[in-house]
Amino acid sequence: MKKAINLKRLLKEKGFIRLAGAHNGITARLVEKNGFDAVWASGFEISTSHAVPDANILTMTDFLNASGEMADSVSIPVVSDCDTGFGNSNNVINMVKKFEAAGISAVCIEDKKFPKVNSYIPGRQELAPIAEFVGKIVAAKNAQQSKDFLVFARVEALIAGWGIDEALKRANTYLEAGADGIFVHSKSKTPNEIINFCKAWKRRGLLIICPTSYPSFKEKEMQKYGVNIVIYANHGIRASIKAVNDILGHLRLYGAAGIDQKIAPMSEVFELQGMYRMKKDEEKYLKSEIGNVKAIIPAAGSKIDNSLKGLLEDRPLAMLDINGKTLIQRNIETLNTVGIRDIKVITGYKRENVEVEGAATVANTEYNSKGIMHSIMKGVDDIAERNIIAYSDIIFDQELIRKLLRKYEDFVLVVDGTYKKTHIRNKELELVKTDRSPLDGVRTIDVNRCNRILDIGKDLNENEAHYEFIGLASLSDKGMRFFSKEFKNAKKNRSRTASKKNAVESFSLAEFVHYMIRKGYHISAYEVSGGWMEVHNFSDYKRACSVFPID
Ligand code: SPV
Ligand code: MG
């Protein structure tokens, strides 16, 4: 497994690189996001995250799993802290095989006796014999598969109190044995010990330090003394311990009020965990039974019948509560149930009060001066195999949508032939004339017959009309492309002549379909007798309430 960024090359190019500690996928991702050159898969952090001491309590497999997760989560290299190599040279051979295969760019082993204890803990800090550690380095270098894999040797002589001469001797011997770099560790409160080491070290191999206990050492200074890699080993987990403690304290004392400003928003977490990328992948690969279908619900308009104003206050019609659930939410759930998950609700009037689940919202800030067609076009981005457009003042049932999805014509409007008998509103209807009249006055049967729309509009003569358009349409990808293209053309051509009111952006869907019919397009009618209801006024609302159970 190869990393996108090659650590060996990076070191050659930059001469000085910065690593920060991590213990799992998300912390590694934060290291990358914050611009570090590589991740330090810290033994201290991994142990802490398992709530055990950094003292070889965890196994090689625990470290391998954590390191592998980090490597999978970032594109920058991961350098794994492998303590003493989890045993003798036999364990080191197995370790290199496993870590290299897991996509790790380098391992670092330290010259202490197994089991080790974290370097900052006073007391038992026993060094391994030089010969034994050299054997581990040679074994590691011989075990690696790729020439780019690096093995760093960590000198603990200063930690164990053996002094600078022992540290120099060990550093030189380890380089001779084939180590790709020397990590010289110090727990001194000042950088002097490390500076003295650097000054005295004539051999000059790749040098690594970890300034946890001597934070005053500036990166510029480090470079002056020949340091090539600085590891900020454990600040991430210490920061998170403090942050989590603070937040838990706040929750205990005050509850969740006022806490949102102090924690990462969910959107940031979704971004970090890769949710948005997954949703994009889903669009591409997750094929549902119904294929790739999108829905657009224009709900930007401010027109509300006077009889409903008391119920709506500061909300658009789509937010009308019908027995515990809003009108729009009922439609979104119906679409979701059928398998349509890519839904865009176009908001405008009082859009700050529009709340939907299971759909995205797109703002139409010009809802006052432009109409439904402008809203619909705001919802058109990538064109799907099927594109549903549904007005926000109707409620439809699942069966109607399922049947509509089985209509394969390029441009289909759902029309109802029963309006002459059931018309109980005082609202102007968008009437439809087709090349064939309805099969029967009230009841029809779905025989999949294709009925071509000859005319549509509010001003159509009732005697000539056969149906009313219910505000639901289905377009194939080809149909949608023509629809968008004609809209753009019409916008361009008419902008010179039409008044604002007559501008194509102010058209209703029916008005634009009328325009397309005039241009010769074949628009089909899907005839229904029910399966939907409209909500324009208080009587409609009462009827809807009597149909839906209380949620
Ligand atoms: C680690 O991060 O696990 C290290 C560095 O080994 S330190 O804890 O600073 O010794
Ligand atoms: Mg460690």
Side-chain angles (χ1 to χ4, degrees), residues 403-459:
K403 284 183 181 166
L404 179 59
L405 289 175
R406 289 199 288 269
K407 308 290 168 210
Y408 299 111
E409 289 87 7
D410 287 324
F411 203 140
V412 188
L413 298 191
V414 182
V415 298
D416 196 314
T418 63
Y419 78 98
K420 283 183 184 161
K421 303 225 164 111
T422 57
H423 183 40
I424 35 177
R425 296 156 309 193
N426 46 9
K427 168 197 171 246
E428 280 181 298
L429 300 181
E430 289 179 320
L431 296 172
V432 174
K433 180 182 170 189
T434 57
D435 59 354
R436 284 187 260 177
S437 54
L439 291 170
D440 176 74
V442 175
R443 299 191 185 94
T444 64
I445 192 159
D446 189 3
V447 289
N448 247 338
R449 69 174 190 160
C450 183
N451 201 351
R452 183 172 184 164
I453 297 179
L454 301 178
D455 205 352
I456 182 168
K458 285 182 177 164
D459 48 6

Side-chain angles (χ1 to χ4, degrees), residues 40 42-45 54 81 110 116 118-120 154 183 185 210 212 233-234:
W40 169 248
S42 155
F44 172 88
E45 286 214 8
D54 178 20
D81 174 7
E110 63 195 61
K116 55 73 61 84
N118 181 272
S119 304
Y120 297 106
R154 169 161 153 183
F183 175 177
H185 206 10
C210 174
T212 307
N234 56 28

Side-chain angles (χ1 to χ4, degrees), residues 181 225 259 314 456 537:
Y225 288 109
I259 210 143
D314 265 0
I456 182 168
N537 53 37

Side-chain angles (χ1 to χ4, degrees), residues 301-346:
S302 59
K303 236 162 90 193
I304 294 170
D305 189 85
N306 275 337
S307 62
L308 287 175
K309 288 215 163 119
L311 282 173
L312 281 160
E313 289 174 3
D314 265 0
R315 288 164 302 149
L317 181 63
M319 291 300 286
L320 184 67
D321 186 296
I322 297 168
N323 283 349
K325 199 172 276 175
T326 62
L327 191 167
I328 192 139
Q329 195 59 42
R330 288 191 182 278
N331 284 340
I332 289 169
E333 285 173 20
T334 300
L335 293 167
N336 282 169
T337 308
V338 173
I340 304 173
R341 307 229 159 69
D342 189 334
I343 304 169
K344 289 206 173 67
V345 175
I346 316 303

Side-chain angles (χ1 to χ4, degrees), residues 111-132:
D111 60 355
K112 284 211 295 249
K113 279 194 178 148
F114 179 90
K116 55 73 61 84
V117 178
N118 181 272
S119 304
Y120 297 106
I121 295 298
R124 178 168 65 83
Q125 292 291 347
E126 296 168 281
L127 294 189
I130 293 181
E132 181 193 310

Side-chain angles (χ1 to χ4, degrees), residues 242-296:
K242 178 162 172 23
V244 173
N245 264 329
D246 287 352
I247 289 302
L248 291 175
H250 180 114
L251 285 171
R252 186 173 54 84
L253 289 174
Y254 313 111
I259 210 143
D260 278 356
Q261 316 309 318
K262 300 179 182 196
I263 56 179
M266 290 296 280
S267 56
E268 187 180 344
V269 181
F270 286 141
E271 176 66 44
L272 278 170
Q273 67 181 193
M275 174 62 82
Y276 300 127
R277 197 182 51 233
M278 187 196 85
K279 294 306 278 179
K280 284 228 155 73
D281 286 345
E282 250 182 39
E283 270 175 38
K284 251 200 316 215
Y285 308 119
L286 192 67
K287 299 292 175 205
S288 75
E289 219 179 299
I290 58 165
N292 176 16
V293 184
K294 293 189 176 194
I296 300 171

